[in-house]
Amino acid sequence: MAGLILGIETSCDETAAAVVAGGRQILSNVISSQIELHRPFGGVVPELASRNHLENISLIIEEALAAAGITWEDLDGIAVTYGPGLVGALLVGVTVAKAIAFARRIPLVGVNHLEGHIFSNFLAHPQLEPPFVALVVSGGHTDLLQVLDYGQYRPLGQTRDDAAGEAFDKVARVLGLGYPGGPQIDAVAREGNPEAISFPRAVIKDAPLDFSFSGVKTAVLNYLNRARQRGEAIDTADVAASFQAAVVEVLVERTLAAAAQCGVDRVAVCGGVAANSALRSLFQERSAGTGIEVLYPPLVLCTDNAAMIASVGYYRLQAGHTAPLNLNAVANLPLESWG
Ligand code: KG4
Ligand code: ZN
C-alpha cells in the first residue's frame, strides 16, 4: 500500500495535522502555534489551549489534505496523539480522529507523543534504521533510550525532576526573557560567556544516565537574588550562557556515554530542545573522533508537529496495531514497546 496516513497532534499548544506517505515522506505538515495566545500568561493555559484546538482543528486538517493534494478516500489510516500531554487538549485531537475514522471507515491508530518525537528523525533521515540511542529532550521530557527496533525501546535514563526544556522556560522567566524560554535563552546566550558563572552539573548516584535540572535552576535563582541584594549588576547574557552550558554539557556527555555503553554508532536527538544551537555544537565537538554520528530533525520537526505522529502511525498500522473507537486521552501515558 502507498500508506498515506493523516496525523493529528493537539497534546499541548500546537494544533497540527500532516499527511505522510510510507512513514517517511512528508506530503504536508500544517502547524498552528498558540504561542501568542499564551504569551501574556508566561506559559500554556490548559483551558485556553483546548478551546483554541477546538476552533482550529477542522480547518487545519482540511488544509493538510489540500496541501498534500489528496482526498479522504486516499487515506489508509488516521493517527492521533493520545498522550502524554494536557488531557483537555489531547481530547480534542482524539475525539476528532475517532469521528473521522468512524465516518470515513478509516483505521485509527493511537500514538504516544514521545514516540512521535523519536520518529521525527525517520522523517528527516531516510537512511536511519534502528538500533540507535535516542535523546528525547523537550518541555515535558528528558529521556535517554535505546531504540532496538521500530517500536522496541529500552529505557536508559530520565530526569528525576524538571525536564530540560522546563528548566530553560523557568530560567528565562526569572531573567525576564519571556515565553517560550528556550529560544530566548539560546539567542541571548550567543552574546554571553558560558564560563562566566559555574552552575552545578548534577550527578545522580547509582544512576549515571539519569538527569536532574532543578538544582541548576535553583542555583540561577540564588545567584540572581544574591546579586540583587548586593546591588551588583547582572549580565543577563552571561547568566543565560552559563546556565545553558551547564544543561547542555550533561545532556551531551550522558548521551554519548549511553551510545558507547550500548555499542551503537548513531544517536538521534529530538524534541524542542534539540533546536538549541549550543547543544548541537557541543554534540559536534564531543562526538568528533568517537565514531558516533549525531542526527537531528530540522527545526520544524524538533518542536511539536503531526508529521511525526503520522510516521509512528504508519509503522504501527503495518504491525497490525489499530485503536478501538473508544480510545481515550491519557495525560501521563508511559512509553511502551509494541514492536
Ligand atoms: O517538543 P516541544 O515543542 O513540546 C513538548 O513536547 O514539550 O518542546 C518545547 C520545549 C520548550 O520548553 C522550549 O523552551 C524548548 O522546547 N525549546 C528550546 C529551544 N527551542 C525550543 N530550548 C532550548 N533552545 C532552543 N532553541
Ligand atoms: Zn513535544
Side-chain angles (χ1 to χ4, degrees):
M1 70 172 186
L4 285 186
I5 307 291
L6 170 69
I8 297 178
E9 156 65 41
T10 64
S11 69
C12 191
D13 61 345
E14 262 97 28
T15 316
V19 178
V20 172
R24 297 261 183 170
Q25 189 196 352
I26 299 175
L27 300 189
S28 66
N29 189 20
V30 183
I31 304 166
S32 166
S33 170
Q34 301 179 357
I35 283 179
E36 292 311 322
L37 180 70
H38 300 288
R39 198 188 295 281
F41 306 96
V44 178
V45 183
E47 176 61 25
L48 285 182
S50 317
R51 275 198 242 172
N52 197 257
H53 285 311
L54 200 54
E55 282 168 19
N56 289 325
I57 187 73
S58 300
L59 199 65
I60 297 293
I61 292 173
E62 280 170 22
E63 242 183 273
L65 292 182
I70 66 161
T71 65
W72 294 108
E73 281 68 39
D74 299 320
L75 286 175
D76 296 299
I78 176 159
V80 65
T81 307
Y82 73 109
L86 301 168
V87 76
L90 288 163
L91 271 171
V92 176
V94 167
T95 308
V96 168
K98 288 195 292 192
I100 297 171
F102 177 68
R104 302 277 175 181
R105 298 174 199 273
I106 306 170
L108 178 71
V109 192
V111 173
N112 184 304
H113 179 82
L114 266 154
E115 198 169 8
H117 277 301
I118 296 169
F119 276 56
S120 63
N121 271 296
F122 290 132
L123 293 167
H125 307 285
Q127 79 291 356
L128 178 64
E129 298 282 346
F132 56 87
V133 160
L135 170 68
V136 188
V137 68
S138 70
H141 296 273
T142 307
D143 287 281
L144 256 179
L145 33 103
Q146 187 174 6
V147 181
L148 300 159
D149 202 342
Y150 293 95
Q152 232 185 79
Y153 307 104
R154 187 166 77 92
L156 300 169
Q158 61 185 10
T159 182
R160 296 293 180 97
D161 39 59
D162 289 357
E166 192 180 351
F168 267 96
D169 293 336
K170 287 177 178 168
V171 166
R173 193 176 314 166
V174 297
L175 285 174
L177 292 177
Y179 163 86
Q184 309 273 358
I185 289 199
D186 197 345
V188 170
R190 280 173 226 263
E191 314 296 324
N193 173 9
E195 287 165 11
I197 309 148
S198 172
F199 289 126
R201 277 89 166 139
V203 177
I204 316 290
K205 199 167 166 274
D206 303 328
L209 297 180
D210 274 0
F211 304 96
S212 165
F213 296 111
S214 73
V216 61
K217 178 194 67 188
T218 309
V220 173
L221 270 175
N222 290 342
Y223 173 88
L224 293 174
N225 287 339
R226 247 195 328 270
R228 280 173 192 144
Q229 273 166 10
R230 291 178 188 157
E232 291 167 6
I234 293 164
D235 188 323
T236 303
D238 278 354
V239 177
S242 301
F243 159 76
Q244 180 173 264
V247 172
V248 157
E249 192 174 311
V250 294
L251 289 172
V252 169
E253 277 188 355
R254 274 164 223 180
T255 305
L256 294 176
Q261 188 180 305
C262 295
V264 301
D265 57 8
R266 262 168 321 178
V267 163
V269 188
C270 55
V273 183
N276 186 267
S277 60
L279 180 77
R280 291 183 177 219
S281 54
L282 194 66
F283 259 126
Q284 192 175 6
E285 190 185 311
R286 297 274 168 94
S287 66
T290 61
I292 297 170
E293 185 187 12
V294 184
L295 302 168
Y296 316 87
L299 295 190
V300 66
L301 295 177
C302 282
T303 44
D304 291 349
N305 65 86
M308 66 187 196
I309 304 304
S311 176
V312 180
Y314 170 81
Y315 287 98
R316 288 203 69 158
L317 205 56
Q318 286 269 316
H321 293 267
T322 52
L325 284 178
N326 65 356
L327 177 72
N328 206 351
V330 183
N332 56 357
L333 183 71
L335 180 63
E336 277 167 0
S337 294
W338 51 265

